[in-house]
Amino acid sequence: MFTLCSFVTEVYSIDEVKLLKPLLGMDKRERHKDEVIFRALEITIPEFGSYLYHAVDVNMTPGRALYSISDGELINTYIAASSKTWDERAIAIKIPIRRGLMSYRLLLIHKADLDKFANIKTLEDLNILTAGLQRDWVITEMFEQANMNMTTSHTFEGVFSMLEKRRFDYTPRAIYEAYDELNTRRNKLPNLMVEPNLALYIPLVTHVYVSKSAPRIAQRIEAGLRKMEKNKELDKLLNKYYEEDIKRADLANRRIIYFDK
């Protein structure tokens, strides 16, 4: 467990922020999320004082993280796609830290199935095919509500291995995820690719969630994020980590299929 502490000369109570150490290591998504949280804590030192940061080294799926944040013992802060379930179980800070970028999805497919996507123009066309999703993703619930054809995996890696085996036709990944996820698995899963002409728009935002047992931390992070929103730091951080992905996705030259929840 790693601890980072910031100090000021005045005496305050110390906020103890407990974040889950990421399952997949410190890729740019995790670096971005951590920097958003750290900056929100730093920028509020004058009002709230010092803080402690703990990276909890426990493997958790999003479903388990939801369960854990409810009592706040192991983790008390988590960044997740907004959903009714998360809103009910934790304090939601309604400031989209990825500025809506999560809504745009590219399709990871098997190279042998590329021709299947050539004539897809609408959501109804896409629903002829089958999506592959992890069981406890927020987007999985949205696919279910829309009666989309889909199959699920219990694990994140299972989604990729099942796609390699052509157990389904595609998996929708955010534009800042798709290329990196393929690159890190290129040797193991050589037959996967990003479909070159399509993108989905699924209304989805990323929020910071804080345990109901830690309302002061929620107040502090919200105050920090509002400052960062006002001074454009949230936008600058987004560009710092995802500018190249946005360019590479080239959404202006893709057919966007709008997802109706």
Side-chain angles (χ1 to χ4, degrees):
M1 186 177 290
F2 171 75
T3 303
L4 172 67
C5 186
S6 295
F7 297 96
V8 292
T9 56
E10 300 173 67
V11 177
Y12 297 92
S13 60
I14 297 177
D15 293 316
E16 187 175 357
V17 177
K18 296 178 284 187
L19 279 167
L20 187 65
K21 184 177 179 180
L23 282 172
L24 302 178
M26 291 299 292
D27 65 13
K28 67 184 172 214
R29 293 169 298 177
E30 305 305 334
R31 294 197 307 272
H32 172 244
K33 290 191 291 187
D34 280 356
E35 187 165 353
V36 167
I37 295 296
F38 293 155
R39 183 58 184 150
L41 295 171
E42 289 289 330
I43 206 172
T44 51
I45 284 176
E47 304 101 296
F48 289 85
S50 56
Y51 66 89
L52 294 172
Y53 163 71
H54 300 288
V56 181
D57 192 5
V58 176
N59 289 340
M60 283 191 193
T61 63
R64 187 181 172 194
L66 175 63
Y67 177 82
S68 181
I69 204 172
S70 297
D71 60 30
E73 289 296 320
L74 191 59
I75 62 171
N76 61 18
T77 306
Y78 192 81
I79 296 177
S82 176
S83 73
K84 181 180 178 181
T85 303
W86 273 94
D87 289 351
E88 291 172 348
R89 297 283 289 273
I91 301 171
I93 301 174
K94 298 287 188 171
I95 300 171
I97 67 167
R98 289 198 178 104
R99 323 309 287 152
L101 186 62
M102 194 178 194
S103 298
Y104 291 95
R105 300 267 161 167
L106 303 181
L107 308 183
L108 299 189
I109 68 171
H110 193 284
K111 292 176 181 178
D113 292 332
L114 180 59
D115 288 347
K116 291 182 179 181
F117 296 84
N119 296 314
I120 290 177
K121 297 181 180 179
T122 66
L123 194 65
E124 290 74 22
D125 294 338
L126 184 65
N127 204 27
I128 296 172
L129 304 178
T130 301
L133 304 162
Q134 187 172 328
R135 181 162 295 183
D136 55 3
W137 285 346
V138 169
I139 199 174
T140 304
E141 183 178 351
M142 298 170 74
F143 267 65
E144 289 175 343
Q145 291 171 354
N147 295 315
M148 296 292 288
N149 290 321
M150 54 179 283
T151 188
T152 59
S153 167
H154 286 285
T155 67
F156 183 74
E157 290 301 327
V159 173
F160 296 94
S161 61
M162 290 171 71
L163 184 58
E164 176 76 11
K165 296 173 184 175
R166 303 176 75 184
R167 301 280 180 83
F168 47 79
D169 300 301
Y170 69 95
T171 186
R173 303 300 293 149
I175 65 175
Y176 53 83
E177 297 171 326
Y179 294 105
D180 284 354
E181 289 173 349
L182 284 189
N183 287 338
T184 58
R185 296 166 179 82
R186 184 67 63 190
N187 293 332
K188 183 179 179 182
L189 305 172
N191 295 308
L192 304 188
M193 64 176 290
V194 175
E195 198 285 330
N197 300 309
L198 300 173
L200 298 183
Y201 181 84
I202 306 175
L204 202 61
V205 294
T206 308
H207 289 152
V208 179
Y209 287 92
V210 179
S211 174
K212 291 181 179 181
S213 68
R216 176 184 154 91
I217 291 175
Q219 182 185 8
R220 176 178 188 153
I221 292 175
E222 181 171 1
L225 292 180
R226 293 206 178 281
K227 288 183 179 183
M228 295 167 68
E229 191 171 45
K230 186 176 181 179
N231 67 16
K232 305 297 183 183
E233 283 191 66
L234 285 178
D235 295 321
K236 290 176 183 176
L237 284 177
L238 189 82
N239 288 331
K240 173 182 174 179
Y241 287 99
Y242 304 131
E243 184 176 13
E244 291 304 315
D245 293 304
I246 294 170
K247 290 178 180 178
R248 189 173 185 181
D250 193 21
L251 292 174
N253 290 307
R254 289 178 178 270
R255 181 182 297 118
I256 309 295
I257 296 175
Y258 290 88
F259 195 99
D260 184 2
K261 292 190 293 182

